[in-house]
């Protein structure tokens, strides 16, 4: 049982308050985007439709089950659906702090906790109604339990990871190798103990592999994924330091920064920092030779290398930073470790400069206006057509899964949208003459429509009367 000690834990309390305040500031700043809208639609779905979607979803079911239960109590809206991620994000900051303090040093714990609290990559996924905050929390919990030799907690966290995110297999494999090695050769546990403890993990990932193979993830639509090679590893590090536009469809784009009127080249700055990071890490690993450090190093780099390799081999072309979210946790731990080797004044100065630098981030230009559309057209008596599957999905959520929300692109009327999730068979409008068309892109609208209103990025159109 963890006991609060005022003198020891006041820094942790301050860090957690900082983490919570930053996340609460951003949690309702933006509307849901496509991925979050999928979560929202599933919360509105009837039990039969919910379970059917869960069986065919590309994401394992644990997160959706937790949020479904949560929504029964707290309702379905942007804040309530994002709040579990915020809570998990703050708890993960605590886990990073506690792990670093116990196994990397108290001073490292302070640095790691502050970095995790203000890190824009962390913050972005702590305010998103998707699985990533849960993914990071369970990975951090498994890492802590593994180092603390809490085998039951470790196995439980690993099993939950298997039904949270398929890409967790990379992290689980590395931690299991460490677990077997440590328990066999250092702790002298018997082979029978190792076998029975490891068996549930093996069975869980046999099932996960079978599920992935059945869904044929390699053959699904992944044209939006940026072509990957091993140069993605430094780019991922840059993402973990400077953050990404987490609510943008497609590949993860780095956040933009501007100093007054000048754009800041974070790619170049990040590339220099990555080189310094690698050089410093090699030195510390050579000098200290601690297993905990080597484990964190492997958990940071091996999953990224493996994903790059799979992409190069054209097996799974899914190298996306958020799919390897736990790597950012180990990046923070290792950056904190390196900073702790510097004089305190230098380390504190670097953290202060980093915190100030984050203030120059440009607010991403995410699509907005769907809430306003619902306010205006929520009781529209006829059908409402959206012109892309992304807008349709977001509209379906904000219009509370209404049956009159349809999908139709006047410039591409024959598209079946077969590759997209949650598009029903009856997605087409039945009467175009009365259908209200909504689109953020005028190029999708044909000349026989007239714009009647505008809400944020979206415009509403009606058919010209003959």
């Amino acid at each position: 049982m963890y006991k609060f000690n005022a003198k020891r834990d006041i820094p942790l309390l301050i860090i957690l308050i900082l983490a919570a305040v930053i996340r609460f500031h951003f949690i309702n700043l933006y509307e849901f985007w496509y991925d979050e809208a999928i979560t929202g639609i599933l919360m509105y779905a009837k039990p039969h439709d919910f379970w059917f979607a869960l069986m065919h979803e590309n994401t394992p079911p644990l997160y959706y089950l937790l949020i479904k239960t949560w929504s029964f109590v707290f309702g379905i809206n942007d804040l309530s659906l994002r709040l579990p991620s915020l809570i998990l994000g703050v708890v993960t900051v605590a886990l990073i702090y506690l792990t670093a303090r116990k196994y990397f040093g108290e001073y490292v714990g302070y640095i790691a906790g502050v970095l995790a609290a203000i890190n824009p990559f962390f913050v972005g996924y702590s305010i998103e109604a998707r699985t990533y905050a849960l993914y990071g929390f369970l990975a951090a919990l498994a890492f802590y339990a593994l180092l603390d030799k809490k085998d039951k907690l470790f196995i439980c966290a690993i099993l939950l990871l298997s039904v949270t995110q398929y890409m967790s297999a990379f992290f689980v494999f590395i931690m299991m190798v460490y677990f077997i090695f440590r328990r066999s050769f250092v702790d002298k546990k018997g082979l029978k103990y190792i076998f029975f403890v490891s068996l549930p993990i093996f069975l869980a990932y046999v099932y996960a592999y079978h599920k992935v193979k059945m869904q044929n993830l390699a053959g699904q639509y992944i044209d939006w994924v940026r072509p990957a090679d091993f140069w993605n590893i430094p780019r991922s590090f840059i993402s973990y330091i400077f953050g990404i536009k987490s609510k943008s469809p497609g590949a993860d784009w780095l956040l933009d920064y501007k100093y007054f009127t000048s754009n800041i080249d974070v790619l170049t700055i990040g590339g220099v920092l990555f080189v310094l990071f690698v050089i410093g890490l090699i030195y510390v690993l050579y000098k200290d030779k601690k297993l905990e450090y080597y484990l964190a190093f492997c958990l940071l780099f091996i999953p990224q290398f493996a994903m790059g390799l799979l992409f190069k081999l054209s097996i799974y072309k899914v190298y996306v930073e958020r799919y390897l979210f736990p790597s950012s946790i180990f990046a923070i731990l290792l950056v904190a470790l390196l900073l702790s080797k510097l004089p305190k004044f230098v380390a504190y100065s670097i953290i202060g400069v980093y915190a100030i630098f984050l203030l120059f981030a440009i607010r991403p230009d995410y699509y907005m206006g769907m809430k306003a559309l619902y306010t205006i057209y929520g009781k529209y008596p006829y059908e409402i057509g959206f012109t892309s599957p992304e807008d349709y999905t977001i509209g379906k959520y904000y219009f509370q899964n209404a049956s009159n929300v349809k999908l139709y692109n006047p410039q591409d009327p024959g598209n079946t949208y077969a590759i997209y999730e949650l598009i029903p068979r009856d997605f087409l409008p039945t009467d175009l003459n009365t259908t209200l068309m909504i689109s953020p892109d005028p190029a999708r609208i044909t000349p026989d429509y007239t714009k009647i209103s505008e809400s944020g990025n979206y415009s509403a159109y009606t058919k010209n009367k003959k």
Side-chain angles (χ1 to χ4, degrees):
M1 179 69 70
Y2 184 84
K3 293 183 179 180
F4 181 82
N5 180 294
K7 184 177 179 181
R8 180 193 62 188
D9 292 329
I10 286 297
L12 172 59
L13 188 60
I14 294 171
I15 288 170
L16 294 184
I17 292 172
L18 174 65
V21 168
I22 291 173
R23 285 153 178 78
F24 267 113
H25 172 71
F26 288 105
I27 194 168
N28 256 353
L29 204 57
Y30 304 107
E31 294 180 359
F32 271 31
W33 69 295
Y34 175 70
D35 281 10
E36 290 182 291
I38 290 175
T39 301
I41 292 174
L42 287 176
M43 297 308 102
Y44 278 120
K46 295 177 181 178
H48 175 268
D49 295 330
F50 174 76
W51 288 107
F52 180 82
L54 232 58
M55 294 301 101
H56 295 84
E57 238 282 329
N58 295 337
T59 304
L62 179 62
Y63 172 77
Y64 295 122
L65 292 171
L66 291 176
I67 297 299
K68 190 71 169 178
T69 304
W70 173 277
S71 67
F72 286 141
V73 180
F74 297 99
I76 303 172
N77 56 66
D78 292 10
L79 179 60
S80 70
L81 296 184
R82 284 174 173 165
L83 197 56
S85 292
L86 185 149
I87 295 169
L88 289 168
V90 173
V91 174
T92 303
V93 171
L95 278 172
I96 291 170
Y97 173 90
L98 293 172
T99 302
R101 186 178 72 182
K102 188 168 185 177
Y103 295 102
F104 291 69
E106 185 176 36
Y107 181 39
V108 182
Y110 297 150
I111 298 174
V114 171
L115 292 178
I118 67 175
N119 181 274
F121 189 86
F122 252 50
V123 171
Y125 289 108
S126 295
I127 52 171
E128 185 166 300
R130 291 295 282 175
T131 187
Y132 304 111
L134 176 62
Y135 183 21
F137 163 73
L138 289 172
L141 181 63
F143 184 66
Y144 178 83
L146 176 62
L147 296 181
D148 208 36
K149 298 182 182 179
K150 291 181 167 45
D151 291 356
K152 291 181 180 178
L153 180 61
F154 170 67
I155 296 301
C156 181
I158 291 296
L159 285 172
L160 291 175
L161 265 177
S162 71
V163 288
T164 299
Q165 169 60 250
Y166 291 125
M167 301 304 166
S168 64
F170 297 109
F171 302 99
V172 170
F173 176 78
I174 295 165
M175 284 192 271
M176 285 303 299
V177 169
Y178 178 91
F179 171 80
I180 293 171
F181 172 80
R182 186 88 189 197
R183 297 299 181 268
S184 299
F185 299 103
V186 179
D187 302 329
K188 304 298 182 183
K189 296 284 186 179
L191 289 177
K192 184 177 179 181
Y193 174 84
I194 300 296
F195 174 78
F196 282 107
V197 168
S198 305
L199 183 60
I201 309 300
F202 174 76
L203 295 176
Y205 279 92
V206 167
Y207 169 77
Y209 172 77
H210 175 72
K211 185 79 180 293
V212 170
K213 191 173 181 181
M214 289 291 291
Q215 290 179 333
N216 191 25
L217 296 186
Q220 292 185 13
Y221 176 68
I222 43 83
D223 288 350
W224 58 268
V225 178
R226 183 185 298 105
D229 54 33
F230 301 122
W231 290 109
N232 274 55
I233 295 175
R235 190 191 178 284
S236 291
F237 177 81
I238 297 169
S239 298
Y240 302 150
I241 298 298
F242 297 113
I244 60 172
K245 299 175 183 177
S246 59
K247 292 172 174 54
S248 296
D252 296 328
W253 301 103
L254 292 170
L255 274 179
D256 297 315
Y257 288 79
K258 181 175 285 189
Y259 181 74
F260 294 104
T261 59
S262 301
N263 291 323
I264 300 174
D265 185 3
V266 294
L267 203 58
T268 300
I269 296 172
V272 172
L273 292 176
F274 178 75
V275 172
L276 295 175
F277 172 72
V278 171
I279 293 172
L281 201 53
I282 291 171
Y283 172 76
V284 170
L285 291 176
Y286 173 76
K287 184 179 178 182
D288 291 353
K289 296 183 175 63
K290 286 190 175 182
L291 280 177
E292 294 87 352
Y293 299 173
Y294 287 110
L295 178 59
F297 174 87
C298 291
L299 287 165
L300 170 59
F301 285 112
I302 291 179
Q304 297 176 63
F305 181 85
M307 287 289 281
L309 182 62
L310 291 175
F311 196 107
K312 297 288 281 186
L313 296 174
S314 298
I315 299 175
Y316 290 111
K317 298 183 179 182
V318 286
Y319 192 116
V320 182
E321 273 76 25
R322 61 182 180 268
Y323 293 169
L324 296 174
F325 182 75
S327 287
S328 63
I329 293 172
F330 305 109
I332 287 174
L333 284 170
L334 292 171
V335 167
L337 175 63
L338 294 187
L339 289 176
S340 72
K341 302 298 181 181
L342 301 173
K344 286 191 175 181
F345 172 76
V346 176
Y348 289 147
S349 297
I350 291 173
I351 295 170
V353 170
Y354 176 61
I356 293 170
F357 184 89
L358 296 180
L359 297 177
F360 295 108
I362 301 173
R363 180 173 169 176
D365 188 23
Y366 300 134
Y367 277 12
M368 299 285 285
M370 199 67 78
K371 286 183 179 179
L373 282 171
Y374 176 70
T375 301
I376 301 169
Y377 299 111
K379 296 182 180 180
Y380 189 72
Y382 305 110
E383 293 174 317
I384 300 173
F386 290 90
T387 58
S388 76
E390 292 83 8
D391 297 327
Y392 165 81
T393 303
I394 299 169
K396 193 80 170 173
Y397 163 68
Y398 278 109
F399 281 75
Q400 301 179 13
N401 212 19
S403 59
N404 67 328
V405 175
K406 301 295 181 179
L407 171 59
Y408 181 77
N409 184 348
Q411 296 285 6
D412 187 16
N415 199 324
T416 63
Y417 306 104
I419 60 173
Y420 289 90
E421 297 180 70
L422 305 181
I423 305 294
R425 294 181 181 179
D426 60 342
F427 66 86
L428 288 171
T430 57
D431 186 356
L432 292 176
N433 291 316
T434 59
T435 299
L436 180 77
M437 299 302 303
I438 295 175
S439 178
D441 184 3
R444 300 175 195 158
I445 303 298
T446 51
D448 53 335
Y449 284 89
T450 299
K451 184 164 78 170
I452 61 170
S453 70
E454 189 173 308
S455 300
N457 297 94
Y458 298 95
S459 297
Y461 303 82
T462 56
K463 192 93 167 177
N464 297 334
K465 294 182 180 180
K466 296 181 180 179

